[in-house]
Amino acid sequence: MGAPIRSRLLDLTEPDPPGRERPEQVPQGRRSALLDFVEAAPLPRAAADERPAPKPGVPAYHTPVFVPAHPRSVAATGQDSRPARVPFVVFELFEHPALGTVTFAFTSLEKLVDALGEAQPWAATSLGPLAEGVREQGVTVLLDPRVKPGEPNWRPDDLAAYAREVRR
């Protein structure tokens, strides 16, 4: 084994003057000023505060949901001026006879599979941000919708074909 690797930073530091020893004590670590703000912040409000709670039967804002979605990408130019693909996720939209354009959200993966089939691609998110994001586009979220039985939206062959297309 060769000589140990020595940091080049040591070449740039000046040696201690003779007769002046370094203290053996470990310097006190710096404390983030952010912690001062956290400690000074008021405690979170109790559950029985004045904020409106969800109506009965309406899940809380942070409820995790499974949404029909799939990856997409767009051709772009990278930082090195070479062709690149920029990936993103697309939430699938459906037409509803009374509500217009909707997206489905399921409170369990089993409910999504039961409604749309095992080959359905999906993404997990929180209900609140999903609802806010699609509302800006005029889309309504249907939670745990009952889907008419029939052909699934995605079949295993569709996924295989999609995977081949994405790999190009």
Side-chain angles (χ1 to χ4, degrees), residues 41-131:
L43 293 174
R45 297 194 281 184
D49 62 12
E50 304 84 39
R51 287 184 289 189
K55 296 176 184 173
V58 176
Y61 183 89
H62 61 275
T63 301
V65 291
F66 300 89
V67 182
H70 59 275
R72 286 278 175 104
S73 64
V74 65
T77 303
Q79 292 178 347
D80 57 358
S81 299
R82 298 172 89 181
R85 302 290 303 172
V86 177
F88 57 96
V89 173
V90 175
F91 292 117
E92 294 182 11
L93 304 177
F94 302 89
E95 279 302 315
H96 187 275
L99 300 174
T101 306
V102 299
T103 189
F104 297 157
F106 297 88
T107 54
S108 74
L109 189 52
E110 294 77 23
K111 289 180 180 180
L112 180 140
V113 170
D114 288 346
L116 301 175
E118 290 185 357
Q120 174 64 52
W122 54 271
T125 187
S126 292
L127 182 59
L130 171 67

Side-chain angles (χ1 to χ4, degrees), residues 70-75 84-88 90 121 154 158-168:
H70 59 275
R72 286 278 175 104
S73 64
V74 65
R85 302 290 303 172
V86 177
F88 57 96
V90 175
W154 287 73
D158 298 328
L159 285 178
Y162 186 76
R164 283 190 302 275
E165 183 67 28
V166 169
R167 288 187 192 121
R168 286 185 187 191

